Amino acid sequence: MKPTILQMGAYPEWDEGPLNENYDVRRYFEAPDRPAFLADCGADIRAIATRGELGASKDIIDACPNLELISVYGVGYDAVDLTACRARGVRVTNTPDVLTGDVADLAVAMMLAVSRGLVGAEAWVRNGDWANVGNYPLQHRVWGQRAGVLGLGRIGFEVAKRLRGFDMEIAYSDISEKPYAPDWTYVADPVALAQRSDFLFVTLAASAETRHIVNSEVLGALGSDAVLINVSRASNIDEAALIDALQTKRLGAAALDVFEGEPAIDPRFLTLPNLLLQPHQASGTVETRKAMGALVRQNLDAHFAGEALLTPVL
Ligand code: 8YV
């Protein structure tokens, strides 16, 4: 008998095949009446396969009394109710490491795109302005500038490593100084970090403690010539304060890959010219997504074979 699992969102077709081969998969995200769907199959569910941004709420966990494991396709597990999991002894896994390089790459790409005006410059060529109007307005230098990394975990470290290649002056904030940070300056206070940064990268794992850590004060300290880049979770930033800072130009520019309520983002974001928008795609390469899907299944397989989980969170 195949174990029954609840699937919270779609996966690429190369994951759907093997998942359905080994498991009796119930597709929650396609159910027209989700509460009724859960009431019907909840007791059969032994594992949940979900995505980083979808997680699993307390309601879902409660509706599955025989749940043993939640396997997250993503490094972030902030959308999984860990308190409910702990209380019930439900195990949780994520997909760390395999996506680190891609997320760092996109963060650096966003920095370059904003500073050198890549999106506007491309349109300038395409719409004939280059030929008809003249040269594209001058943009801003990246190399040698000051970078701040808020959260020097695996992803923050890879971002900083890449920035070293741009001869940037690198500082970071975290809950403690990191022994693995080569000659990067530790600045405990995020406001002080922002004050000394031309580019501030947000690479923190999101939690209740980090909610709105980038607030109006941090944005003000960054200032009107600086750029904020977020590849972590929207909850790390006070979006209302960010929109205000961008509208009033108290903050120079921002580049965001994550949003509250995504994909239905705050419409005010769409009106801001000093903002680069990305559709939560930092881990979105074929190579990485294949590795993430494989890890989701390996964790499920290990659990049902009675073996140690590969990448446990709980
Ligand atoms: C998503 C992510 O899981 O790793 C994370 O925490 O948010 C992403 O990798 C990805 O968009 C797939 O849904």
Side-chain angles (χ1 to χ4, degrees), residues 10-12 50-54 72-78 94-96 99 103 155 231-233 257-258 262 279-284 288-289 292:
Y11 293 128
T50 187
R51 300 200 316 230
E53 73 279 25
L54 302 174
V72 181
Y73 178 84
V75 67
Y77 47 85
D78 51 302
N94 66 343
T95 60
L99 48 63
V103 177
I155 292 171
V231 288
S232 59
R233 281 290 184 269
D257 187 45
V258 284
E262 61 185 50
H280 197 155
Q281 62 131 345
S283 69
T288 284
R289 288 290 167 84
M292 287 165 64

Side-chain angles (χ1 to χ4, degrees), residues 87-108:
R88 291 259 312 273
V90 172
R91 306 289 311 271
V92 179
T93 60
N94 66 343
T95 60
D97 300 319
V98 294
L99 48 63
T100 305
D102 278 353
V103 177
D105 282 355
L106 192 82
V108 173

Side-chain angles (χ1 to χ4, degrees), residues 258-283:
V258 284
F259 302 85
E260 294 289 3
E262 61 185 50
I265 70 174
D266 189 317
R268 289 176 296 172
F269 278 130
L270 307 178
T271 66
L272 293 165
N274 48 352
L275 175 63
L276 176 76
L277 300 152
Q278 291 290 295
H280 197 155
Q281 62 131 345
S283 69

Side-chain angles (χ1 to χ4, degrees), residues 1 6 8 23 41 43 53 58 64 89 94 105 113-114 119 148 151 168 202 211 255 272 276 279 308:
M1 274 260 289
L6 188 69
M8 303 304 293
Y23 298 94
C41 71
E53 73 279 25
K58 180 165 167 31
C64 305
N94 66 343
D105 282 355
V114 169
V119 175
M168 296 179 89
V202 187
R211 186 176 158 73
L272 293 165
L276 176 76

